[in-house]
């Protein structure tokens, strides 16, 4: 792996499989009374969040603490950044503190890339504008592999998602999750289709390694995984569709549309959800939903990322056995 995780495009197939296999090993500690390993003892991880995201920040914090790292949560509100300090000045401050890794979320696309040029530690992108969110894509791939591949002979160390059909539905234009998932899932061998209103596709989507469509009902019968995206009202400065009711009628996943899916298919959502808009409550809380699993798996996958960036000198299984 590279020293940083900025984009899902940075990951080769071997890199991605290494993270997923390491996460499989680290998941074993979740069943222990003491869910900690000494792997990153003495290392410092800084969570540098310029945007609110309680779910992602807590996930990274839990991951670092389970590996015994010291964690510093740096939030913009009330900090020197709110008083006008630049990102570079903040980076230099973190460098002076000896941060071994900086997990950054920023409203500006490209901020993690700039930060990586200013600090000696590893940089992990926890979401930059409408650009990317690579660890979300990794936890989604991990969840898909455990749900759909665990019962078959295909599952195991080194197994990808070859041949699985994944349909991602909704606000593609503003979604960093969609971009990272298209890149990562296609690298792992999945066939990805994006479905959305024409107004919610980015101009550059023609260059992405995926298919596109406007008809959700036509896509569902040949889908193994359907991933619903949140309608991001806070990023919308124009009328991208007539109304939420109309959007839900054409692109929302409800009980009737669930009946169109193959029996083995699962439903995903990166959260937070707009219940009743892109996904019905009965679907979100149903047995084929992986939404709660995605949250749990997020901690495990982020443990794997931090372990490989900061520790990872020996196989993950050796570390988990040593912590037994």
């Amino acid at each position: 792996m590279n020293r940083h995780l900025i984009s899902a495009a940075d990951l080769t197939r071997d890199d991605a499989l290494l993270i997923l296999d390491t996460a499989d090993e680290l998941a074993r500690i979740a069943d222990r009374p003491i869910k900690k390993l000494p792997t990153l003892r003495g290392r410092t991880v800084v969570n540098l969040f310029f945007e609110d995201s309680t779910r992602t920040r807590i996930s990274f914090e839990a991951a670092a603490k389970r590996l015994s790292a010291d964690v510093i949560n740096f939030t913009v509100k009330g900090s020197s950044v709110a008083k006008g300090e630049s990102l570079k000045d903040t980076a230099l401050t973190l460098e002076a503190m000896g941060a071994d890794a900086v997990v950054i979320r920023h409203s500006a696309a490209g901020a993690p890339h700039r930060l990586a040029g200013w600090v000696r530690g590893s940089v992990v992108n926890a979401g930059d504008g409408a650009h990317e969110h690579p660890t979300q894509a990794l936890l989604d791939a991990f969840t898909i592999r455990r749900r759909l591949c665990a019962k078959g002979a295909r599952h195991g160390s080194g197994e990808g998602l070859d041949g699985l059909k994944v349909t991602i539905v909704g606000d593609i234009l503003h979604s960093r999750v969609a971009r990272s998932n298209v890149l990562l899932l296609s690298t792992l061998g999945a066939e990805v289709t994006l479905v959305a209103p024409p107004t919610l596709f980015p101009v550059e989507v023609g260059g992405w390694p995926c298919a596109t469509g406007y008809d959700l009902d036509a896509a569902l019968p040949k889908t193994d995984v359907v991933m619903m995206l949140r309608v991001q009202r806070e990023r919308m400065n124009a009328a991208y569709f007539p109304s939420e009711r109309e959007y839900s009628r054409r692109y929302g996943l409800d009980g009737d549309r669930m009946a169109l899916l193959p029996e083995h298919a699962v439903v995903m959502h990166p959260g937070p959800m707009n219940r009743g808009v892109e996904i019905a409550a009965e679907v979100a809380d149903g047995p084929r939903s992986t939404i709660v699993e995605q949250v749990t798996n997020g901690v495990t996958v982020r443990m794997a990322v931090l372990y490989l960036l900061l520790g990872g000198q020996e196989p993950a299984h050796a570390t988990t056995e040593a912590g037994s």
Side-chain angles (χ1 to χ4, degrees):
M1 280 184 61
N2 296 327
R3 187 162 61 93
H4 309 293
L5 179 55
I6 307 296
S7 165
D10 298 337
L11 298 172
T12 65
R13 181 182 173 96
D14 286 343
D15 289 336
L17 290 175
L18 175 61
I19 294 171
L20 298 184
D21 290 342
T22 300
D24 266 324
E25 296 289 345
L26 292 171
R28 297 178 184 180
I29 73 168
D31 297 326
R32 298 178 184 172
I34 300 176
K35 299 176 174 58
K36 293 195 74 169
L37 294 171
T39 313
L40 299 185
R41 186 173 293 153
R43 300 295 191 110
T44 301
V45 176
V46 176
N47 287 327
L48 179 61
F49 277 57
F50 290 81
E51 284 186 327
D52 292 333
S53 179
T54 303
R55 181 191 306 250
T56 302
R57 181 183 59 76
I58 289 177
S59 182
F60 271 106
E61 182 176 359
K65 287 182 174 179
R66 288 186 185 180
L67 293 171
S68 301
D70 296 318
V71 180
I72 299 173
N73 289 316
F74 186 103
T75 53
V76 172
K77 189 175 181 180
S79 72
S80 53
V81 175
K83 301 172 186 175
E85 183 175 83
S86 70
L87 177 61
K88 184 173 183 178
D89 289 333
T90 302
L92 295 176
T93 299
L94 298 177
E95 183 72 6
M97 292 179 178
D100 296 292
V102 181
V103 178
I104 178 172
R105 170 164 287 203
H106 202 286
S107 59
H113 177 75
R114 295 299 302 272
L115 182 66
W118 295 324
V119 298
R120 282 175 290 183
S122 296
V123 173
V124 180
N125 181 3
D128 59 331
H131 179 227
E132 279 212 51
H133 194 354
T135 60
Q136 178 68 46
L138 284 163
L139 76 87
D140 290 340
F142 183 75
T143 302
I144 292 170
R145 194 167 77 155
R146 286 172 77 88
R147 255 302 179 106
L148 294 184
C149 303
K151 296 178 182 177
R154 294 170 49 200
H155 181 66
S157 179
E159 291 291 350
L161 304 177
D162 301 281
L164 283 178
K165 294 177 172 58
V166 180
T167 300
I168 302 176
V169 186
D171 187 1
I172 310 297
L173 179 63
H174 302 99
S175 178
R176 48 197 171 205
V177 173
R179 286 167 172 77
S180 289
N181 264 297
V182 167
L183 292 169
L184 182 72
L185 296 179
S186 60
T187 296
L188 289 170
E191 299 173 20
V192 183
T193 300
L194 303 178
V195 176
T199 52
L200 288 178
F201 278 116
V203 173
E204 68 274 15
V205 74
W208 294 7
C210 63
T212 58
Y214 308 127
D215 188 343
L216 178 57
D217 292 339
L220 292 178
K222 49 192 176 183
T223 294
D224 298 303
V225 179
V226 58
M227 184 182 299
M228 307 306 295
L229 300 176
R230 180 172 66 89
V231 175
Q232 299 189 38
R233 301 184 184 96
E234 73 278 8
R235 297 183 190 274
M236 293 187 178
N237 53 10
Y240 290 94
F241 45 82
S243 66
E244 287 188 354
R245 182 176 180 181
E246 175 67 12
Y247 178 90
S248 182
R249 186 180 70 82
R250 295 199 60 189
Y251 296 100
L253 187 63
D254 56 16
D256 291 338
R257 285 205 165 100
M258 281 295 292
L260 299 176
L261 286 166
E263 289 185 5
H264 68 274
V266 296
V267 177
M268 308 185 78
H269 195 301
M273 295 178 285
N274 292 313
R275 289 174 181 256
V277 180
E278 71 265 4
I279 190 167
E282 62 183 303
V283 176
D285 300 328
R288 296 165 72 183
S289 168
T290 68
I291 296 169
V292 175
E293 292 169 49
Q294 287 172 265
V295 176
T296 301
N297 292 340
V299 176
T300 304
V301 166
R302 286 163 179 141
M303 286 176 67
V305 168
L306 293 174
Y307 166 80
L308 291 168
L309 289 177
L310 300 182
Q313 299 301 314
E314 57 186 359
H317 65 80
T319 301
T320 55
E321 288 167 5
S324 298

Coordinates of all heavy atoms in Angstrom, one line a residue, residues 3-5 40 42-49 60 64 67 69-74 91 94-95 97-104 115-116 119-125 302 305-311:
R3 N 1.6 5.2 1.3 CA 1.7 5.8 2.6 C 0.4 6.5 3.0 O 0.1 6.7 4.2 CB 2.9 6.8 2.7 CG 3.2 7.3 4.1 CD 4.6 7.9 4.1 NE 4.7 9.0 3.2 CZ 4.5 10.3 3.5 NH1 4.1 10.7 4.7 NH2 4.7 11.3 2.6
H4 N -0.4 6.9 2.0 CA -1.7 7.6 2.3 C -2.8 6.9 1.6 O -2.6 6.0 0.7 CB -1.6 9.0 1.7 CG -0.4 9.8 2.0 ND1 -0.2 10.3 3.3 CD2 0.6 10.3 1.3 CE1 0.9 11.0 3.4 NE2 1.4 11.0 2.2
L5 N -4.0 7.2 2.1 CA -5.2 6.7 1.4 C -6.1 7.9 1.1 O -6.9 8.4 1.9 CB -6.0 5.7 2.3 CG -7.3 5.1 1.7 CD1 -7.1 4.5 0.3 CD2 -8.0 4.1 2.6
L40 N -0.8 -0.5 17.7 CA -0.4 0.9 17.5 C -0.1 1.7 18.8 O -0.2 2.9 18.8 CB -1.5 1.6 16.6 CG -1.8 1.1 15.3 CD1 -2.8 1.9 14.5 CD2 -0.5 0.9 14.4
G42 N 1.6 3.9 21.3 CA 2.6 4.9 21.1 C 2.4 5.7 19.9 O 3.1 6.7 19.7
R43 N 1.5 5.3 19.0 CA 1.2 6.1 17.8 C 0.1 7.1 18.1 O -0.8 6.9 18.9 CB 0.8 5.2 16.6 CG 1.9 4.2 16.2 CD 3.1 4.8 15.7 NE 4.0 3.9 15.1 CZ 4.2 3.8 13.8 NH1 3.6 4.6 12.9 NH2 5.1 2.9 13.3
T44 N 0.1 8.2 17.3 CA -0.9 9.3 17.5 C -1.7 9.4 16.2 O -1.2 9.7 15.1 CB -0.3 10.6 17.9 OG1 0.4 10.4 19.1 CG2 -1.4 11.7 18.1
V45 N -3.0 9.3 16.3 CA -3.9 9.5 15.2 C -4.8 10.8 15.5 O -5.4 10.9 16.5 CB -4.9 8.3 15.0 CG1 -5.9 8.6 13.9 CG2 -4.0 7.1 14.7
V46 N -4.8 11.7 14.5 CA -5.6 12.9 14.7 C -6.8 12.9 13.8 O -6.6 12.6 12.6 CB -4.7 14.2 14.3 CG1 -5.6 15.5 14.4 CG2 -3.5 14.3 15.3
N47 N -7.9 13.1 14.3 CA -9.2 13.2 13.5 C -9.4 14.7 13.2 O -9.8 15.5 14.2 CB -10.4 12.6 14.2 CG -10.3 11.1 14.2 OD1 -9.8 10.5 13.3 ND2 -10.8 10.5 15.3
L48 N -9.1 15.2 12.0 CA -9.2 16.6 11.6 C -10.5 16.8 10.8 O -10.5 16.6 9.6 CB -7.9 17.0 10.9 CG -7.8 18.4 10.3 CD1 -7.8 19.4 11.5 CD2 -6.6 18.5 9.5
F49 N -11.5 17.2 11.4 CA -12.8 17.3 10.8 C -13.3 18.7 10.6 O -13.6 19.4 11.5 CB -13.9 16.5 11.5 CG -13.8 15.0 11.2 CD1 -12.7 14.3 11.4 CD2 -15.0 14.4 10.7 CE1 -12.6 12.9 11.0 CE2 -14.9 13.0 10.4 CZ -13.8 12.3 10.5
F60 N -13.7 6.2 13.2 CA -12.2 6.2 13.1 C -11.7 6.3 14.5 O -10.6 5.6 14.8 CB -11.8 7.5 12.3 CG -11.6 7.2 10.9 CD1 -12.5 7.7 10.0 CD2 -10.5 6.5 10.4 CE1 -12.4 7.5 8.6 CE2 -10.4 6.3 9.0 CZ -11.3 6.8 8.1
A64 N -9.0 3.4 15.9 CA -7.7 3.8 16.4 C -7.5 3.3 17.9 O -6.5 2.7 18.3 CB -7.4 5.3 16.3
L67 N -6.8 -0.3 18.5 CA -5.5 -0.7 18.1 C -4.5 0.0 19.1 O -3.3 -0.1 18.9 CB -5.1 -0.3 16.7 CG -5.9 -1.0 15.6 CD1 -5.7 -0.4 14.2 CD2 -5.5 -2.5 15.6
A69 N -3.9 3.1 19.8 CA -3.3 4.4 19.5 C -3.9 5.5 20.3 O -5.0 5.4 20.9 CB -3.6 4.7 18.0
D70 N -3.1 6.6 20.5 CA -3.6 7.8 21.1 C -4.4 8.6 20.1 O -3.9 8.7 18.9 CB -2.4 8.6 21.6 CG -1.7 7.9 22.7 OD1 -2.3 7.3 23.6 OD2 -0.4 8.0 22.7
V71 N -5.5 9.1 20.4 CA -6.4 9.8 19.5 C -6.6 11.3 19.9 O -6.9 11.5 21.1 CB -7.8 9.1 19.4 CG1 -8.7 9.8 18.4 CG2 -7.6 7.7 18.9
I72 N -6.5 12.2 19.0 CA -6.8 13.6 19.2 C -7.9 14.0 18.2 O -7.7 13.8 17.0 CB -5.5 14.5 19.0 CG1 -4.4 14.1 19.9 CG2 -5.9 15.9 19.1 CD1 -3.1 14.8 19.6
N73 N -9.0 14.5 18.8 CA -10.1 14.9 17.9 C -10.0 16.4 17.8 O -10.1 17.2 18.7 CB -11.4 14.5 18.5 CG -11.7 13.0 18.5 OD1 -11.5 12.4 17.4 ND2 -12.2 12.5 19.5
F74 N -9.8 16.9 16.5 CA -9.6 18.3 16.2 C -10.8 18.8 15.4 O -11.0 18.3 14.3 CB -8.3 18.5 15.4 CG -7.9 19.9 15.2 CD1 -6.9 20.5 15.9 CD2 -8.6 20.7 14.2 CE1 -6.5 21.8 15.7 CE2 -8.2 22.0 14.0 CZ -7.2 22.6 14.7
A91 N -1.8 22.1 9.4 CA -1.0 20.9 9.1 C 0.4 21.1 9.8 O 0.9 20.1 10.4 CB -0.8 20.8 7.6
L94 N 0.0 20.2 13.4 CA -0.1 18.8 13.6 C 1.2 18.1 13.5 O 1.6 17.2 14.2 CB -1.1 18.2 12.7 CG -2.6 18.7 12.8 CD1 -3.4 18.1 11.7 CD2 -3.2 18.4 14.1
E95 N 2.0 18.6 12.5 CA 3.3 18.0 12.3 C 4.2 18.3 13.6 O 5.0 17.4 14.0 CB 4.0 18.7 11.1 CG 5.3 18.2 10.7 CD 5.3 16.8 10.1 OE1 4.2 16.3 9.9 OE2 6.4 16.3 9.9
M97 N 3.2 18.4 16.5 CA 2.7 17.6 17.6 C 3.1 16.1 17.4 O 2.9 15.3 18.3 CB 1.1 17.6 17.6 CG 0.6 18.9 18.1 SD -1.2 18.9 18.1 CE -1.6 20.5 18.7
G98 N 3.7 15.8 16.2 CA 4.1 14.5 16.0 C 3.0 13.5 15.6 O 3.1 12.3 15.9
A99 N 2.0 14.0 14.8 CA 0.9 13.1 14.4 C 1.4 12.0 13.5 O 2.1 12.3 12.5 CB -0.2 13.9 13.7
D100 N 1.2 10.8 13.7 CA 1.6 9.7 12.9 C 0.6 9.5 11.7 O 0.9 9.0 10.6 CB 1.7 8.4 13.7 CG 2.8 8.5 14.7 OD1 4.0 8.5 14.3 OD2 2.4 8.5 15.9
A101 N -0.7 9.8 12.0 CA -1.7 9.8 10.9 C -2.7 10.9 11.1 O -3.0 11.2 12.3 CB -2.4 8.4 10.9
V102 N -3.2 11.4 10.0 CA -4.2 12.5 10.1 C -5.4 12.0 9.3 O -5.3 11.7 8.1 CB -3.7 13.8 9.6 CG1 -4.9 14.9 9.7 CG2 -2.5 14.3 10.3
V103 N -6.6 11.8 9.9 CA -7.8 11.5 9.2 C -8.5 12.8 9.0 O -8.9 13.5 9.9 CB -8.7 10.5 10.1 CG1 -10.0 10.2 9.3 CG2 -7.9 9.3 10.4
I104 N -8.7 13.2 7.7 CA -9.3 14.5 7.4 C -10.6 14.4 6.7 O -10.8 13.6 5.7 CB -8.3 15.3 6.6 CG1 -8.9 16.7 6.3 CG2 -7.8 14.6 5.4 CD1 -8.0 17.7 5.7
L115 N -2.9 18.3 2.0 CA -2.4 18.0 3.4 C -1.3 17.0 3.3 O -0.3 17.1 4.1 CB -3.5 17.4 4.3 CG -3.2 17.1 5.7 CD1 -2.8 18.4 6.5 CD2 -4.4 16.4 6.4
A116 N -1.4 16.0 2.4 CA -0.4 14.9 2.3 C 1.0 15.5 1.9 O 2.0 14.9 2.2 CB -0.8 13.9 1.3
V119 N 2.6 17.1 5.6 CA 2.9 16.3 6.8 C 3.7 15.1 6.5 O 3.6 14.6 5.4 CB 1.6 16.0 7.6 CG1 0.8 17.2 8.0 CG2 0.7 15.1 6.7
R120 N 4.5 14.6 7.4 CA 5.3 13.4 7.2 C 4.5 12.1 7.5 O 4.8 11.1 7.1 CB 6.5 13.4 8.1 CG 7.6 14.3 7.5 CD 8.8 14.5 8.4 NE 8.4 15.2 9.6 CZ 9.3 15.6 10.6 NH1 10.6 15.1 10.5 NH2 9.0 16.3 11.6
G121 N 3.4 12.3 8.3 CA 2.6 11.1 8.7 C 1.7 10.7 7.6 O 1.6 11.4 6.5
S122 N 0.9 9.7 7.8 CA 0.0 9.2 6.8 C -1.3 10.0 6.8 O -1.7 10.5 7.9 CB -0.4 7.7 7.0 OG 0.7 6.9 6.9
V123 N -1.9 10.2 5.6 CA -3.2 11.0 5.5 C -4.3 10.0 5.0 O -4.0 9.3 4.0 CB -3.0 12.2 4.6 CG1 -4.4 12.8 4.4 CG2 -2.0 13.2 5.2
V124 N -5.4 10.0 5.7 CA -6.5 9.2 5.3 C -7.7 10.1 5.0 O -8.1 11.0 5.8 CB -6.9 8.2 6.4 CG1 -8.1 7.4 6.0 CG2 -5.8 7.3 6.8
N125 N -8.2 10.0 3.8 CA -9.4 10.8 3.4 C -10.7 10.3 3.9 O -11.1 9.2 3.6 CB -9.4 10.9 1.8 CG -10.5 11.7 1.3 OD1 -11.2 12.4 2.1 ND2 -10.7 11.7 0.0
R302 N -11.7 0.3 9.1 CA -10.8 1.4 9.4 C -9.7 1.0 10.3 O -8.6 1.5 10.2 CB -11.6 2.6 10.0 CG -12.4 3.3 8.9 CD -13.6 4.1 9.4 NE -14.2 4.7 8.2 CZ -15.5 4.9 8.1 NH1 -16.4 4.5 9.0 NH2 -16.0 5.4 7.0
V305 N -7.2 -0.4 7.8 CA -6.5 0.7 7.1 C -5.4 1.3 8.0 O -4.2 1.5 7.6 CB -7.5 1.8 6.6 CG1 -6.7 3.0 6.2 CG2 -8.4 1.3 5.5
L306 N -5.7 1.7 9.2 CA -4.7 2.2 10.1 C -3.6 1.3 10.5 O -2.4 1.6 10.5 CB -5.4 2.7 11.4 CG -6.4 3.9 11.3 CD1 -7.1 4.1 12.6 CD2 -5.7 5.1 10.8
Y307 N -4.0 0.0 10.6 CA -3.0 -1.0 10.9 C -2.0 -1.1 9.8 O -0.8 -1.2 10.0 CB -3.7 -2.4 11.1 CG -2.7 -3.6 11.1 CD1 -2.0 -3.9 12.2 CD2 -2.6 -4.3 9.9 CE1 -1.1 -5.0 12.2 CE2 -1.7 -5.4 9.9 CZ -1.0 -5.7 11.0 OH -0.1 -6.8 11.0
L308 N -2.5 -1.2 8.5 CA -1.6 -1.3 7.4 C -0.8 -0.1 7.1 O 0.4 -0.2 6.7 CB -2.4 -1.7 6.2 CG -3.0 -3.1 6.2 CD1 -4.0 -3.3 5.1 CD2 -1.9 -4.2 6.1
L309 N -1.3 1.1 7.4 CA -0.6 2.3 7.2 C 0.5 2.6 8.2 O 1.6 3.1 7.9 CB -1.5 3.5 7.1 CG -2.4 3.6 5.9 CD1 -3.4 4.8 6.0 CD2 -1.6 3.8 4.6
L310 N 0.2 2.2 9.5 CA 1.0 2.6 10.6 C 1.7 1.4 11.3 O 2.7 1.6 12.0 CB 0.2 3.3 11.7 CG -0.5 4.6 11.3 CD1 -1.2 5.2 12.4 CD2 0.5 5.6 10.7
G311 N 1.2 0.2 11.1 CA 1.8 -0.9 11.8 C 2.3 -1.9 10.9 O 3.5 -2.0 10.5

